[in-house]
Amino acid sequence: MYTTRLISTLAALVAALAAAAPAAAEPPPPDLSFEAAASLFSTGSSVEETTSGGKQRPGRMQAEGGGGGICWGKELLRSKGTWPYARRLYLYTVWCGSGGTITYRSSSVRTSHDSICWNTSGPYLTKMAGGAGFSFVEVQTWAGVACHSPLYFVSFHDSMMLRVRYYPNGGYATVAYD
Amino acid sequence: MRRSHMTEAGSPATRVARIVLVLLVTVFALQLIGYVLFSVGESRPPAQGRGAEVELAP
């Protein structure tokens, strides 16, 4: 009898916790512009570069102008886990190419996890190789993530990583992920 | 023959031990389920693809 009561109490507790988890960590609605979405999320960073100066300006989504040529944009997602432990890492990059050379690249990273998960570090973003003036540019982003376990004060820890190479013809290739 | 209440439910120490055991097993099971949900399921980015053409602000 005690066992039944105990198990039913625990089951009710788990159900209440699951119902209380809000959908606040959902990705932004599709009609929201990327710049507007970026302003809503504090967890993120961005880097851009051009052939003109090769400078890096954090906190900007997109530069005025560019290095010339045709430009492409793509947001890639790396996610792990199942509800309520889903962790998501987004990498958005705009890059331009002309004559087989990268002329401009701007990247931005953000995370969106289910409500019981959070970033323990990052998200970070860095250029690994190539860039403006080269035949490709390789960008890596990563973040440390943790989630509350059912035993609330014990956490599950993980890291996420995504490394992508962009080409001046608009193509991209995922080099590595974790 | 009618058994006494004490024999049926066990001594208080036994009851506490049983509750603790059930609690431990329940917590372990919940942690296990949680870790499975944490580990299972993933979305990988495409191995390769093409970006959508965009126009940068002048």
Side-chain angles (χ1 to χ4, degrees):
Chain A
M1 192 178 73
Y2 287 115
T3 311
T4 313
R5 194 178 298 168
L6 188 66
I7 289 173
S8 59
T9 308
L10 282 170
L13 190 66
V14 169
L17 278 173
E26 286 294 313
D31 59 333
L32 200 64
S33 76
F34 198 85
E35 288 185 8
S39 67
L40 290 174
F41 292 94
S42 57
T43 56
S45 60
S46 65
V47 170
E48 68 182 49
E49 58 177 317
T50 63
T51 41
S52 53
K55 59 189 173 184
Q56 296 195 339
R57 283 185 290 172
R60 293 292 305 274
M61 294 301 300
Q62 187 170 312
E64 290 77 17
I70 305 169
C71 300
W72 293 271
K74 181 71 183 175
E75 185 173 59
L76 294 170
L77 162 68
R78 169 67 174 148
S79 79
K80 290 162 112 176
T82 310
W83 182 90
Y85 296 107
R87 293 93 67 197
R88 303 175 195 88
L89 180 69
Y90 292 90
L91 170 63
Y92 180 72
T93 298
V94 170
W95 72 103
C96 305
S98 176
T101 314
I102 295 284
T103 54
Y104 170 83
R105 194 266 314 173
S106 173
S107 298
S108 173
V109 60
R110 67 187 175 94
T111 56
S112 174
H113 311 310
D114 281 352
S115 52
I116 57 169
C117 301
W118 68 95
N119 288 336
T120 51
S121 63
Y124 300 108
L125 178 70
T126 188
K127 183 180 76 178
M128 299 297 288
F134 290 83
S135 60
F136 70 92
V137 59
E138 196 172 296
V139 178
Q140 176 167 310
T141 179
W142 70 100
V145 188
C147 301
H148 287 298
S149 74
L151 204 62
Y152 194 77
F153 47 87
V154 178
S155 307
F156 297 138
H157 287 255
D158 191 21
S159 67
M160 304 176 79
M161 184 273 281
L162 182 57
R163 193 187 306 151
V164 185
R165 190 174 280 202
Y166 300 93
Y167 298 100
N169 65 355
Y172 65 86
T174 302
V175 178
Y177 57 83
D178 172 41
Chain B
M1 206 168 105
R2 189 173 168 275
R3 286 190 300 175
S4 72
H5 176 74
M6 183 67 89
T7 315
E8 223 170 70
S11 68
T14 311
R15 269 187 289 170
V16 168
R18 193 178 296 159
I19 289 170
V20 168
L21 186 68
V22 167
L23 205 63
L24 281 175
V25 170
T26 309
V27 164
F28 181 78
L30 284 174
Q31 286 290 96
L32 199 64
I33 292 167
Y35 191 72
V36 167
L37 291 174
F38 182 81
S39 309
V40 168
E42 64 169 349
S43 159
R44 302 171 185 180
Q48 54 188 4
R50 258 187 105 71
E53 212 166 299
V54 296
E55 208 164 295
L56 296 188

